[in-house]
Amino acid sequence: MVAIQDIEAAYVRLKPVVHKTPLLSSRTFDIRTGNEVLFKAENFQRVGAFKIRGAYNKISTLSKDERTRGVVTHSSGNHAQGVALAAQLLGVKAVVVMPKIAPQIKVDATRGYGAEVVFCEDSSEDRERAARQLVQQHGYTLVPPFDDEQIIAGAGTAMLEVAQEVKSLDYFFCPIGGGGLISGNAIAAKHFFPSIKVVGVETEPANDCYQTFRQKRIVRIDPPNTIADGMRTQSIGQRNFEIIMKYVDDVITVTDEQVIETMKFFLERMKIVVEPTGAVASAAMYYNILNLKQKKVCTMISGGNVAPDLLKRIL
Amino acid sequence: MVAIQDIEAAYVRLKPVVHKTPLLSSRTFDIRTGNEVLFKAENFQRVGAFKIRGAYNKISTLSKDERTRGVVTHSSGNHAQGVALAAQLLGVKAVVVMPKIAPQIKVDATRGYGAEVVFCEDSSEDRERAARQLVQQHGYTLVPPFDDEQIIAGAGTAMLEVAQEVKSLDYFFCPIGGGGLISGNAIAAKHFFPSIKVVGVETEPANDCYQTFRQKRIVRIDPPNTIADGMRTQSIGQRNFEIIMKYVDDVITVTDEQVIETMKFFLERMKIVVEPTGAVASAAMYYNILNLKQKKVCTMISGGNVAPDLLKRIL
């Protein structure tokens, strides 16, 4: 299992490369909920999301031989751009498998970071098969999105930055897609703030980890229809499961509507652009699902990459 | 004329009250223009714009008697909210004259900060007359939006914060509406960075100060039709004129279209919401109007209050 030392080692690798993202606050938000909330703003991270942390940590810990051969991943979201930029910074070839129907803007962004894009049909199976084929044919190393120790350790460096700025915290709220982000950050949070409560948040349609947490076994759901596109994963990974069962205190859900209202608050009052998945953890505080009072809380804003059309619809 | 000591005195008053706003940067922006640009992010200021700085400084320097009687202003923009919040924080009654047709959202925001809203017909003359009447009837003190020494000194505290973080600067770009923001910041900029060039920026339709600067006399234009609503003032003030002629090196213009593209860059790449007027100075760098190379530049983002409908149209 990932240890705090792995996260500290990742931090040393990442420090010269990633942004130390700010901890934001809002009087209006605090007055509304009756708590003191700090937002870890990974929407200001390079590539617009936390994903560069895990991807860079993973690729920089590959052997020289693996780095010479290159890496591959299958994603049309933030992970693709994280891998593309991390590989470019480390001088490693990156291939990203994307469905033919991926939006041109995402294809361009991934190519903009120097990655090669390979197209496939549009199902998880097709994408995984295409990636596996590339691994076999070219000896590329697969960079998985969340079920990987170095990915988890890299993601956890965000909480290490929080701990540099904050002396105490009562609660940490974190979104859960595949579970990579919460895994790394829960380990770090419990290390730096031993009495902290770590709460995972999903949207109701994407409640696989909510079920997993209660049934104490990995529950797989049908591809959920939710505004939080980073939560369209059908289940968390094995390593993520083990860490979440050990370090996470609760998993709760919010509605898509609550996520939209929270995004609006971020835009209109705090002047920041947050993607739907990035607003999920804060929505749990905006609607104070746990009825907290006078607690010091950190919520994770995981990213800010919203398609202009979606932003328009939300407004 | 306002001196650096006035700005330093204002800073002492403001420090416990206003946010020290961050200096943001963007690799993508820097690569595009070939310069190093720092954005002073007053869109993250309280009330979403720099206006709280001048308003709070002005009201806190009124006599006890004046404060007991209360203050009045006429504005439907950021200045109204700056005055309302500053008065609330100082326990002073505030009355804001607004045209009957002001959007409900602005009326609500101003009332939300505890100010009384008085409605009038929709012309500058009507608004000024209504405010003057209130001054005569109730002994309120008028808090002018830009042509006032304490308003100018308060606005200039933004550059004092910049100078705490940055050792050298080659250029400072600042938007010009009535001239309050650039007046205070130009004085501070020339004090802390003696060889700096201070450049004022307007949109082409709102080019009254561009003309003023060249004709060396205050030029008044018809109410301009520009996306930058903070620049719909028809001329700068007398005090602002004197300071601008002494401390500003050039006044240039950008098009409304350039402002819109710069707002989009802020939204899509930097994940921040900037209002049109707030994007004007940065637009001059985004399109590198002065053809600068390898300069260290600060641009002022004056505010982030955009109506959701306008934001939608821009996207």
Side-chain angles (χ1 to χ4, degrees):
Chain A
M1 193 176 280
V2 177
I4 187 68
Q5 291 76 11
D6 300 313
I7 298 169
E8 286 168 340
Y11 178 73
V12 173
R13 291 179 201 112
L14 291 173
K15 195 166 183 285
V17 176
V18 306
H19 295 318
K20 178 172 179 174
T21 52
L23 272 177
L24 308 177
S25 62
S26 157
R27 270 168 236 256
T28 313
F29 196 101
D30 286 357
I31 289 165
R32 175 186 165 110
T33 77
N35 293 281
E36 184 186 346
V37 181
L38 299 165
F39 306 93
K40 179 63 174 166
E42 286 288 296
N43 52 330
F44 292 154
Q45 190 48 270
R46 294 182 78 173
V47 307
F50 75 96
K51 289 286 188 179
I52 181 73
R53 295 182 186 266
Y56 189 91
N57 190 48
K58 173 71 179 178
I59 299 173
S60 58
T61 50
L62 295 180
S63 71
K64 200 179 164 196
D65 191 44
E66 288 168 323
R67 286 163 65 159
T68 308
R69 287 199 301 269
V71 297
V72 63
T73 195
H74 51 88
S75 161
S76 53
N78 292 332
H79 180 61
Q81 291 173 52
V83 170
L85 176 59
Q88 185 183 52
L89 291 168
L90 290 161
V92 171
K93 176 177 180 168
V95 180
V96 176
V97 177
M98 280 189 175
K100 278 179 191 162
I101 56 153
Q104 192 60 37
I105 189 171
K106 295 215 168 183
V107 176
D108 291 345
T110 307
R111 283 182 177 149
Y113 293 119
E116 183 187 321
V117 175
V118 170
F119 294 101
C120 69
E121 298 302 320
D122 178 41
S123 82
S124 329
E125 290 74 30
D126 286 316
R127 282 200 255 176
E128 283 167 31
R129 193 185 317 123
R132 269 201 311 275
Q133 264 181 11
L134 288 162
V135 168
Q136 284 162 9
Q137 284 171 9
H138 303 278
Y140 299 147
T141 301
L142 186 71
V143 181
F146 48 81
D147 192 1
D148 179 280
E149 300 219 333
Q150 298 300 352
I151 295 284
I152 291 168
T157 58
M159 183 53 65
L160 209 143
E161 292 176 1
V162 173
Q164 289 170 350
E165 287 190 59
V166 179
K167 285 213 181 65
S168 71
L169 272 183
D170 299 312
Y171 279 83
F172 172 58
F173 285 73
C174 188
I176 303 180
L181 183 61
I182 196 171
S183 297
N185 283 281
I187 292 167
K190 292 281 182 177
H191 174 78
F192 292 110
F193 311 104
S195 63
I196 200 171
K197 299 281 176 206
V198 176
V199 180
V201 192
E202 293 181 314
T203 57
E204 281 180 7
N207 70 349
D208 64 282
C209 189
Y210 173 90
Q211 295 185 53
T212 294
F213 189 76
R214 278 154 185 77
Q215 299 185 25
K216 300 184 176 58
R217 61 171 188 92
I218 297 178
V219 174
R220 187 176 178 86
I221 61 173
D222 288 336
N225 181 14
T226 173
I227 193 163
D229 54 334
M231 297 190 172
R232 287 183 195 146
T233 41
Q234 297 173 250
S235 72
I236 60 169
Q238 180 61 36
R239 288 168 191 80
N240 314 100
F241 173 70
E242 288 162 18
I243 294 169
I244 287 169
M245 293 315 293
K246 182 165 174 189
Y247 291 99
V248 171
D249 296 282
D250 202 357
V251 177
I252 62 177
T253 61
V254 294
T255 65
D256 276 13
E257 289 66 35
Q258 289 172 330
V259 172
I260 290 170
E261 289 304 313
T262 307
M263 286 177 72
K264 276 194 202 167
F265 179 88
F266 280 131
L267 280 168
E268 293 172 13
R269 302 300 302 247
M270 292 181 65
K271 318 298 179 192
I272 61 172
V273 179
V274 176
E275 63 183 81
T277 307
V280 167
S282 305
M285 277 310 298
Y286 192 62
Y287 290 92
N288 205 347
I289 307 285
L290 296 184
N291 281 310
L292 305 183
K293 283 272 166 281
Q294 296 189 299
K295 299 296 182 194
K296 190 157 179 184
V297 178
C298 176
T299 72
M300 173 65 75
I301 295 179
S302 54
N305 294 325
V306 200
D309 278 353
L310 177 58
L311 209 52
K312 245 173 36 190
R313 270 195 291 140
I314 281 159
L315 289 161
Chain B
M1 192 176 282
V2 176
I4 186 70
Q5 290 77 10
D6 300 313
I7 299 169
E8 286 167 341
Y11 178 74
V12 173
R13 290 179 202 113
L14 292 173
K15 195 166 184 287
V17 175
V18 306
H19 294 318
K20 178 172 178 174
T21 52
L23 272 176
L24 308 177
S25 62
S26 157
R27 271 166 236 256
T28 313
F29 196 101
D30 287 357
I31 288 165
R32 175 185 165 111
T33 76
N35 294 280
E36 185 186 346
V37 181
L38 299 166
F39 305 93
K40 179 63 174 167
E42 287 288 295
N43 53 330
F44 291 154
Q45 189 50 270
R46 294 182 79 173
V47 307
F50 74 96
K51 289 286 190 180
I52 182 74
R53 295 181 187 267
Y56 190 92
N57 190 47
K58 173 71 179 178
I59 299 172
S60 57
T61 51
L62 295 179
S63 70
K64 201 180 166 196
D65 190 44
E66 288 168 323
R67 287 163 65 159
T68 307
R69 288 199 301 268
V71 297
V72 63
T73 195
H74 50 87
S75 160
S76 54
N78 293 331
H79 179 62
Q81 291 173 52
V83 169
L85 176 59
Q88 186 182 53
L89 292 168
L90 289 160
V92 171
K93 175 176 180 168
V95 179
V96 176
V97 177
M98 281 189 176
K100 278 178 189 162
I101 56 155
Q104 191 60 38
I105 190 171
K106 295 215 168 181
V107 176
D108 292 344
T110 306
R111 282 181 177 152
Y113 292 118
E116 182 188 321
V117 176
V118 170
F119 294 100
C120 69
E121 299 301 320
D122 177 41
S123 82
S124 327
E125 290 74 29
D126 286 317
R127 282 200 255 175
E128 283 167 30
R129 192 185 317 123
R132 267 200 314 274
Q133 265 181 10
L134 288 163
V135 168
Q136 284 162 7
Q137 286 170 8
H138 303 278
Y140 299 148
T141 301
L142 185 72
V143 181
F146 47 82
D147 192 0
D148 180 280
E149 299 220 334
Q150 298 300 353
I151 294 284
I152 291 168
T157 57
M159 181 54 65
L160 208 143
E161 291 175 2
V162 173
Q164 289 170 350
E165 286 191 59
V166 179
K167 286 215 180 66
S168 71
L169 273 183
D170 299 312
Y171 279 83
F172 172 57
F173 286 73
C174 189
I176 302 180
L181 183 62
I182 196 171
S183 298
N185 283 282
I187 292 167
K190 292 281 182 178
H191 174 78
F192 291 109
F193 311 104
S195 64
I196 201 171
K197 300 280 177 206
V198 176
V199 180
V201 192
E202 294 181 314
T203 56
E204 280 181 7
N207 70 350
D208 64 282
C209 189
Y210 173 89
Q211 294 185 53
T212 294
F213 190 77
R214 277 153 185 78
Q215 298 185 26
K216 300 183 176 58
R217 61 174 186 91
I218 296 178
V219 174
R220 187 176 177 87
I221 61 173
D222 288 336
N225 181 14
T226 173
I227 192 162
D229 54 333
M231 297 191 171
R232 288 184 194 145
T233 41
Q234 296 172 249
S235 72
I236 60 170
Q238 179 61 35
R239 289 169 190 78
N240 313 100
F241 172 71
E242 288 162 19
I243 295 170
I244 287 169
M245 293 315 292
K246 181 167 176 189
Y247 289 100
V248 171
D249 295 281
D250 202 357
V251 178
I252 62 176
T253 62
V254 294
T255 65
D256 277 14
E257 290 67 34
Q258 288 172 331
V259 172
I260 290 169
E261 289 304 313
T262 307
M263 286 177 72
K264 276 194 202 167
F265 179 88
F266 280 131
L267 280 168
E268 293 173 12
R269 300 301 302 247
M270 291 181 65
K271 319 298 179 192
I272 60 171
V273 179
V274 176
E275 64 182 81
T277 307
V280 167
S282 305
M285 277 310 298
Y286 193 61
Y287 289 92
N288 205 347
I289 307 286
L290 295 185
N291 280 310
L292 305 183
K293 283 271 167 284
Q294 297 190 299
K295 299 297 183 195
K296 190 157 178 183
V297 179
C298 176
T299 72
M300 174 65 75
I301 296 179
S302 53
N305 294 325
V306 201
D309 278 353
L310 176 59
L311 209 53
K312 245 173 36 192
R313 270 196 289 140
I314 280 159
L315 288 160

